[in-house]
Short mmCIF file of all heavy atoms in Angstrom, two decimals:
data_model
loop_
_atom_site.label_atom_id
_atom_site.label_comp_id
_atom_site.label_asym_id
_atom_site.label_seq_id
_atom_site.Cartn_x
_atom_site.Cartn_y
_atom_site.Cartn_z
N LEU A 247 60.99 -69.79 -141.91
CA LEU A 247 59.71 -69.89 -141.16
C LEU A 247 59.98 -70.07 -139.69
O LEU A 247 61.05 -70.39 -139.34
CB LEU A 247 58.93 -71.10 -141.65
CG LEU A 247 58.27 -71.04 -143.13
CD1 LEU A 247 57.76 -72.46 -143.52
CD2 LEU A 247 57.22 -69.99 -143.17
N ALA A 248 58.99 -69.66 -138.90
CA ALA A 248 59.18 -69.76 -137.48
C ALA A 248 57.85 -70.19 -136.84
O ALA A 248 56.74 -70.25 -137.33
CB ALA A 248 59.47 -68.27 -136.98
N ASN A 249 58.10 -70.67 -135.54
CA ASN A 249 56.94 -71.15 -134.75
C ASN A 249 57.11 -70.55 -133.32
O ASN A 249 58.15 -70.21 -132.86
CB ASN A 249 57.00 -72.65 -134.59
CG ASN A 249 56.42 -73.18 -133.19
OD1 ASN A 249 57.21 -73.16 -132.37
ND2 ASN A 249 55.11 -73.49 -133.27
N SER A 250 55.98 -70.31 -132.76
CA SER A 250 55.85 -70.02 -131.28
C SER A 250 54.47 -70.31 -130.81
O SER A 250 53.55 -70.38 -131.72
CB SER A 250 56.23 -68.54 -130.93
OG SER A 250 57.62 -68.46 -130.62
N LEU A 251 54.18 -70.26 -129.53
CA LEU A 251 52.86 -70.25 -129.10
C LEU A 251 52.18 -69.06 -129.53
O LEU A 251 52.62 -67.98 -129.55
CB LEU A 251 52.86 -70.20 -127.49
CG LEU A 251 53.20 -71.48 -126.75
CD1 LEU A 251 53.31 -71.32 -125.32
CD2 LEU A 251 52.28 -72.61 -127.08
N ASN A 252 50.99 -69.29 -130.10
CA ASN A 252 50.28 -68.18 -130.81
C ASN A 252 49.68 -67.23 -129.75
O ASN A 252 48.86 -67.51 -128.91
CB ASN A 252 49.01 -68.91 -131.61
CG ASN A 252 48.25 -67.96 -132.36
OD1 ASN A 252 48.51 -66.69 -132.44
ND2 ASN A 252 47.33 -68.39 -133.19
N PRO A 253 50.15 -65.94 -129.76
CA PRO A 253 49.61 -65.04 -128.83
C PRO A 253 48.22 -64.67 -129.07
O PRO A 253 47.60 -64.06 -128.29
CB PRO A 253 50.61 -63.83 -129.03
CG PRO A 253 51.07 -63.94 -130.43
CD PRO A 253 51.14 -65.43 -130.71
N PHE A 254 47.58 -64.98 -130.21
CA PHE A 254 46.31 -64.75 -130.48
C PHE A 254 45.38 -65.94 -130.28
O PHE A 254 44.13 -65.87 -130.67
CB PHE A 254 46.15 -64.17 -131.98
CG PHE A 254 46.99 -62.95 -132.18
CD1 PHE A 254 48.14 -62.99 -132.79
CD2 PHE A 254 46.47 -61.74 -131.70
CE1 PHE A 254 48.86 -61.84 -133.02
CE2 PHE A 254 47.30 -60.56 -131.78
CZ PHE A 254 48.51 -60.64 -132.51
N TYR A 255 45.90 -66.88 -129.68
CA TYR A 255 45.08 -68.01 -129.19
C TYR A 255 44.96 -67.84 -127.69
O TYR A 255 45.94 -68.10 -126.93
CB TYR A 255 45.69 -69.43 -129.56
CG TYR A 255 44.85 -70.51 -129.02
CD1 TYR A 255 43.72 -70.99 -129.57
CD2 TYR A 255 45.26 -71.28 -127.84
CE1 TYR A 255 42.91 -72.00 -129.13
CE2 TYR A 255 44.51 -72.17 -127.33
CZ TYR A 255 43.28 -72.69 -127.98
OH TYR A 255 42.50 -73.56 -127.34
N GLU A 256 43.88 -67.56 -127.31
CA GLU A 256 43.66 -67.04 -125.91
C GLU A 256 43.63 -68.15 -124.85
O GLU A 256 43.49 -67.90 -123.70
CB GLU A 256 42.40 -66.19 -125.78
CG GLU A 256 42.50 -64.83 -126.45
CD GLU A 256 42.19 -64.92 -127.95
OE1 GLU A 256 41.68 -66.00 -128.41
OE2 GLU A 256 42.49 -63.92 -128.71
N GLY A 257 43.69 -69.32 -125.31
CA GLY A 257 43.77 -70.55 -124.38
C GLY A 257 45.20 -70.76 -123.89
O GLY A 257 45.44 -71.65 -122.97
N ASN A 258 46.17 -70.06 -124.57
CA ASN A 258 47.56 -70.23 -124.06
C ASN A 258 47.85 -69.36 -122.89
O ASN A 258 47.18 -68.28 -122.68
CB ASN A 258 48.51 -69.83 -125.17
CG ASN A 258 48.63 -70.75 -126.24
OD1 ASN A 258 48.38 -71.94 -126.17
ND2 ASN A 258 48.90 -70.24 -127.54
N THR A 259 48.62 -69.89 -121.92
CA THR A 259 48.94 -69.21 -120.63
C THR A 259 49.92 -68.09 -120.78
O THR A 259 50.82 -68.15 -121.56
CB THR A 259 49.29 -70.16 -119.55
OG1 THR A 259 50.62 -70.74 -119.92
CG2 THR A 259 48.32 -71.39 -119.33
N LEU A 260 49.78 -67.08 -119.91
CA LEU A 260 50.79 -65.99 -119.92
C LEU A 260 52.12 -66.40 -119.61
O LEU A 260 53.10 -65.91 -120.10
CB LEU A 260 50.29 -64.81 -118.96
CG LEU A 260 49.13 -64.02 -119.38
CD1 LEU A 260 48.62 -63.23 -118.12
CD2 LEU A 260 49.41 -63.04 -120.44
N SER A 261 52.30 -67.26 -118.59
CA SER A 261 53.58 -67.72 -118.17
C SER A 261 54.44 -68.45 -119.22
O SER A 261 55.66 -68.52 -119.14
CB SER A 261 53.53 -68.58 -116.95
OG SER A 261 52.81 -69.76 -117.17
N GLU A 262 53.78 -68.94 -120.29
CA GLU A 262 54.48 -69.85 -121.17
C GLU A 262 54.69 -69.03 -122.57
O GLU A 262 55.35 -69.53 -123.45
CB GLU A 262 53.66 -71.02 -121.50
CG GLU A 262 53.67 -72.05 -120.34
CD GLU A 262 52.72 -73.26 -120.58
OE1 GLU A 262 52.11 -73.34 -121.70
OE2 GLU A 262 52.70 -74.08 -119.79
N MET A 263 54.28 -67.82 -122.59
CA MET A 263 54.30 -67.17 -123.79
C MET A 263 55.16 -65.85 -123.81
O MET A 263 55.34 -65.30 -122.74
CB MET A 263 52.93 -66.58 -124.35
CG MET A 263 52.09 -67.78 -125.09
SD MET A 263 50.60 -67.01 -125.80
CE MET A 263 49.87 -66.14 -124.45
N ILE A 264 55.74 -65.45 -125.01
CA ILE A 264 56.31 -64.19 -125.22
C ILE A 264 55.29 -63.43 -126.00
O ILE A 264 55.00 -63.72 -127.10
CB ILE A 264 57.60 -64.26 -126.01
CG1 ILE A 264 58.57 -65.05 -125.24
CG2 ILE A 264 58.17 -62.82 -126.21
CD1 ILE A 264 59.17 -64.59 -123.99
N ASN A 265 54.72 -62.34 -125.31
CA ASN A 265 53.53 -61.69 -125.91
C ASN A 265 53.74 -60.44 -126.81
O ASN A 265 52.95 -59.75 -127.16
CB ASN A 265 52.50 -61.37 -124.88
CG ASN A 265 51.77 -62.57 -124.35
OD1 ASN A 265 51.85 -63.62 -125.01
ND2 ASN A 265 51.16 -62.48 -123.24
N ASP A 266 55.09 -60.19 -127.02
CA ASP A 266 55.38 -59.03 -127.76
C ASP A 266 55.25 -59.53 -129.32
O ASP A 266 56.08 -60.19 -129.89
CB ASP A 266 56.95 -58.58 -127.45
CG ASP A 266 57.27 -57.38 -128.24
OD1 ASP A 266 56.46 -56.95 -129.17
OD2 ASP A 266 58.35 -56.76 -127.98
N ASP A 267 54.15 -59.00 -129.93
CA ASP A 267 53.66 -59.61 -131.11
C ASP A 267 54.07 -58.53 -132.34
O ASP A 267 53.69 -58.88 -133.45
CB ASP A 267 52.22 -59.81 -131.24
CG ASP A 267 51.40 -58.57 -131.00
OD1 ASP A 267 51.93 -57.46 -130.97
OD2 ASP A 267 50.14 -58.73 -130.73
N ARG A 268 54.80 -57.53 -132.14
CA ARG A 268 54.98 -56.50 -133.14
C ARG A 268 55.67 -56.97 -134.31
O ARG A 268 55.26 -56.60 -135.56
CB ARG A 268 55.57 -55.27 -132.53
CG ARG A 268 54.70 -54.49 -131.43
CD ARG A 268 55.49 -53.43 -130.70
NE ARG A 268 56.53 -54.05 -129.83
CZ ARG A 268 57.43 -53.35 -129.22
NH1 ARG A 268 57.54 -52.13 -129.42
NH2 ARG A 268 58.27 -54.07 -128.41
N PHE A 269 56.75 -57.63 -134.21
CA PHE A 269 57.50 -58.20 -135.30
C PHE A 269 56.65 -59.30 -135.95
O PHE A 269 56.64 -59.44 -137.24
CB PHE A 269 58.83 -58.71 -134.82
CG PHE A 269 59.78 -59.30 -135.89
CD1 PHE A 269 60.56 -58.51 -136.63
CD2 PHE A 269 59.69 -60.57 -136.19
CE1 PHE A 269 61.32 -59.04 -137.71
CE2 PHE A 269 60.55 -61.19 -137.16
CZ PHE A 269 61.35 -60.41 -137.88
N MET A 270 56.10 -60.12 -135.25
CA MET A 270 55.16 -61.15 -135.68
C MET A 270 54.12 -60.75 -136.58
O MET A 270 53.93 -61.35 -137.64
CB MET A 270 54.71 -62.14 -134.57
CG MET A 270 53.94 -63.22 -134.89
SD MET A 270 53.13 -64.15 -133.46
CE MET A 270 54.59 -64.75 -132.67
N LEU A 271 53.50 -59.63 -136.25
CA LEU A 271 52.38 -59.16 -137.04
C LEU A 271 52.79 -58.76 -138.42
O LEU A 271 52.02 -58.72 -139.33
CB LEU A 271 51.75 -58.02 -136.29
CG LEU A 271 50.84 -58.35 -135.11
CD1 LEU A 271 50.28 -57.12 -134.36
CD2 LEU A 271 49.42 -59.00 -135.67
N GLN A 272 54.05 -58.26 -138.47
CA GLN A 272 54.50 -57.76 -139.85
C GLN A 272 55.13 -58.94 -140.71
O GLN A 272 55.34 -58.67 -141.90
CB GLN A 272 55.61 -56.73 -139.55
CG GLN A 272 55.15 -55.48 -138.92
CD GLN A 272 53.94 -54.83 -139.59
OE1 GLN A 272 53.95 -54.71 -140.83
NE2 GLN A 272 52.92 -54.47 -138.88
N THR A 273 55.24 -60.06 -140.07
CA THR A 273 55.74 -61.19 -140.86
C THR A 273 54.84 -62.43 -140.58
O THR A 273 55.33 -63.55 -140.66
CB THR A 273 57.13 -61.54 -140.38
OG1 THR A 273 57.20 -61.77 -138.88
CG2 THR A 273 58.12 -60.27 -140.73
N ILE A 274 53.54 -62.19 -140.45
CA ILE A 274 52.62 -63.19 -139.89
C ILE A 274 52.53 -64.38 -140.83
O ILE A 274 52.36 -65.53 -140.42
CB ILE A 274 51.35 -62.57 -139.57
CG1 ILE A 274 50.50 -63.58 -138.65
CG2 ILE A 274 50.52 -62.37 -140.82
CD1 ILE A 274 51.17 -63.72 -137.35
N ASP A 275 52.73 -64.18 -142.09
CA ASP A 275 52.65 -65.34 -143.10
C ASP A 275 53.79 -66.39 -142.97
O ASP A 275 53.82 -67.43 -143.51
CB ASP A 275 52.50 -64.83 -144.47
CG ASP A 275 53.68 -64.00 -144.90
OD1 ASP A 275 54.22 -63.17 -144.00
OD2 ASP A 275 54.20 -64.12 -146.07
N ARG A 276 54.80 -66.02 -142.26
CA ARG A 276 55.93 -66.90 -141.92
C ARG A 276 55.96 -67.58 -140.67
O ARG A 276 56.93 -68.24 -140.24
CB ARG A 276 57.26 -66.00 -142.13
CG ARG A 276 57.26 -65.27 -143.44
CD ARG A 276 58.55 -64.45 -143.53
NE ARG A 276 58.42 -63.54 -144.69
CZ ARG A 276 59.43 -62.86 -145.17
NH1 ARG A 276 60.61 -62.98 -144.63
NH2 ARG A 276 59.27 -62.08 -146.15
N TRP A 277 54.85 -67.43 -139.87
CA TRP A 277 54.75 -68.11 -138.63
C TRP A 277 53.73 -69.23 -138.78
O TRP A 277 52.65 -69.21 -139.16
CB TRP A 277 54.27 -67.08 -137.64
CG TRP A 277 55.27 -65.99 -137.27
CD1 TRP A 277 55.60 -64.92 -138.00
CD2 TRP A 277 56.24 -65.97 -136.30
NE1 TRP A 277 56.60 -64.25 -137.53
CE2 TRP A 277 57.08 -64.85 -136.36
CE3 TRP A 277 56.46 -66.84 -135.12
CZ2 TRP A 277 58.11 -64.53 -135.45
CZ3 TRP A 277 57.53 -66.54 -134.25
CH2 TRP A 277 58.30 -65.36 -134.38
N ASP A 278 54.14 -70.32 -138.26
CA ASP A 278 53.35 -71.54 -138.30
C ASP A 278 52.79 -71.93 -136.92
O ASP A 278 53.71 -72.18 -135.98
CB ASP A 278 54.06 -72.74 -138.83
CG ASP A 278 53.30 -73.99 -138.93
OD1 ASP A 278 52.39 -73.97 -139.84
OD2 ASP A 278 53.42 -74.90 -138.09
N PHE A 279 51.50 -72.05 -136.75
CA PHE A 279 51.02 -72.28 -135.42
C PHE A 279 50.43 -73.68 -135.35
O PHE A 279 49.73 -74.07 -134.31
CB PHE A 279 49.88 -71.37 -135.05
CG PHE A 279 50.43 -69.87 -135.01
CD1 PHE A 279 49.84 -68.85 -135.81
CD2 PHE A 279 51.39 -69.61 -134.09
CE1 PHE A 279 50.42 -67.65 -135.69
CE2 PHE A 279 51.90 -68.14 -134.16
CZ PHE A 279 51.38 -67.25 -134.88
N GLY A 280 50.79 -74.62 -136.18
CA GLY A 280 50.43 -75.93 -136.05
C GLY A 280 49.01 -76.25 -136.47
O GLY A 280 48.22 -75.54 -136.89
N PRO A 281 48.70 -77.63 -136.41
CA PRO A 281 47.27 -78.09 -136.78
C PRO A 281 46.29 -77.60 -136.01
O PRO A 281 45.02 -77.52 -136.50
CB PRO A 281 47.42 -79.66 -136.68
CG PRO A 281 48.66 -79.84 -135.53
CD PRO A 281 49.48 -78.74 -135.75
N ASP A 282 46.40 -77.12 -134.79
CA ASP A 282 45.29 -76.51 -133.97
C ASP A 282 45.35 -75.07 -133.64
O ASP A 282 44.70 -74.57 -132.79
CB ASP A 282 45.28 -77.43 -132.65
CG ASP A 282 46.48 -77.20 -131.77
OD1 ASP A 282 47.44 -76.56 -132.25
OD2 ASP A 282 46.52 -77.75 -130.69
N GLN A 283 46.32 -74.38 -134.30
CA GLN A 283 46.52 -72.89 -134.18
C GLN A 283 46.89 -72.42 -132.81
O GLN A 283 46.94 -71.31 -132.53
CB GLN A 283 45.15 -72.21 -134.60
CG GLN A 283 44.79 -72.23 -135.98
CD GLN A 283 45.94 -71.43 -136.81
OE1 GLN A 283 46.23 -70.36 -136.61
NE2 GLN A 283 46.47 -72.19 -137.87
N THR A 284 47.32 -73.39 -131.90
CA THR A 284 47.90 -72.94 -130.66
C THR A 284 49.36 -72.58 -130.68
O THR A 284 49.80 -71.86 -129.95
CB THR A 284 47.68 -74.05 -129.58
OG1 THR A 284 48.48 -75.18 -129.93
CG2 THR A 284 46.27 -74.45 -129.56
N GLY A 285 50.07 -73.19 -131.70
CA GLY A 285 51.49 -73.01 -131.73
C GLY A 285 52.24 -73.99 -130.72
O GLY A 285 53.47 -73.88 -130.64
N ASP A 286 51.50 -74.89 -130.15
CA ASP A 286 52.12 -75.72 -129.15
C ASP A 286 52.84 -76.89 -129.85
O ASP A 286 52.22 -77.79 -130.49
CB ASP A 286 50.96 -76.23 -128.18
CG ASP A 286 51.52 -77.27 -127.15
OD1 ASP A 286 52.78 -77.37 -126.98
OD2 ASP A 286 50.65 -77.89 -126.46
N ILE A 287 54.22 -76.95 -129.68
CA ILE A 287 54.95 -77.97 -130.35
C ILE A 287 54.84 -79.28 -129.69
O ILE A 287 55.39 -80.35 -130.25
CB ILE A 287 56.45 -77.53 -130.61
CG1 ILE A 287 57.04 -77.44 -129.14
CG2 ILE A 287 56.49 -76.22 -131.39
CD1 ILE A 287 58.59 -77.25 -129.32
N THR A 288 54.34 -79.34 -128.46
CA THR A 288 54.11 -80.60 -127.84
C THR A 288 52.90 -81.33 -128.27
O THR A 288 52.60 -82.48 -127.78
CB THR A 288 54.15 -80.47 -126.30
OG1 THR A 288 52.97 -79.74 -125.98
CG2 THR A 288 55.28 -79.70 -125.83
#
Side-chain angles (χ1 to χ4, degrees):
L247 287 171
N249 150 275
S250 264
L251 284 176
N252 187 353
F254 301 104
Y255 176 79
E256 292 82 11
N258 288 332
T259 63
L260 286 169
S261 63
E262 296 178 352
M263 279 194 303
I264 301 293
N265 283 346
D266 188 346
D267 61 10
R268 291 169 294 169
F269 181 84
M270 184 185 290
L271 281 169
Q272 296 305 311
T273 56
I274 198 65
D275 59 321
R276 306 181 189 190
W277 293 79
D278 179 77
F279 299 122
D282 62 356
Q283 287 298 306
T284 65
D286 182 7
I287 65 171
T288 66

